[in-house]
Amino acid sequence: MMVNHPNMHHGPGGNSITVNPSETGILNWKFHQTYQIEAACNIPGHYEAGMFSPISIMEGN
């Protein structure tokens, strides 16, 4: 979708954040069971260039 819509607005809100170079950001999610998810850059071409990582979420309190 990002490749087809390169001018798409990326935030704020939802399940993503935009972080500029040399800055940090926080996105909190609460999970009620174990999941395998993926963190990825949604800027066009960045995912295809390898900017993603699998994440294992363990059930917590």
Side-chain angles (χ1 to χ4, degrees):
M1 180 178 276
M2 301 305 300
V3 172
N4 293 330
H5 304 282
N7 296 319
M8 177 184 278
H9 180 67
H10 299 303
N15 61 358
S16 68
I17 59 174
T18 299
V19 181
N20 292 320
S22 301
E23 292 184 358
T24 61
I26 296 173
L27 177 64
N28 291 314
W29 287 339
K30 184 173 183 176
F31 294 88
H32 300 287
Q33 58 184 327
T34 300
Y35 286 99
Q36 283 293 122
I37 64 170
E38 183 177 76
C41 183
N42 61 4
I43 295 173
H46 288 205
Y47 184 93
E48 293 81 3
M51 292 184 71
F52 61 90
S53 178
I55 298 174
S56 296
I57 304 296
M58 304 305 291
E59 183 177 356
N61 296 330

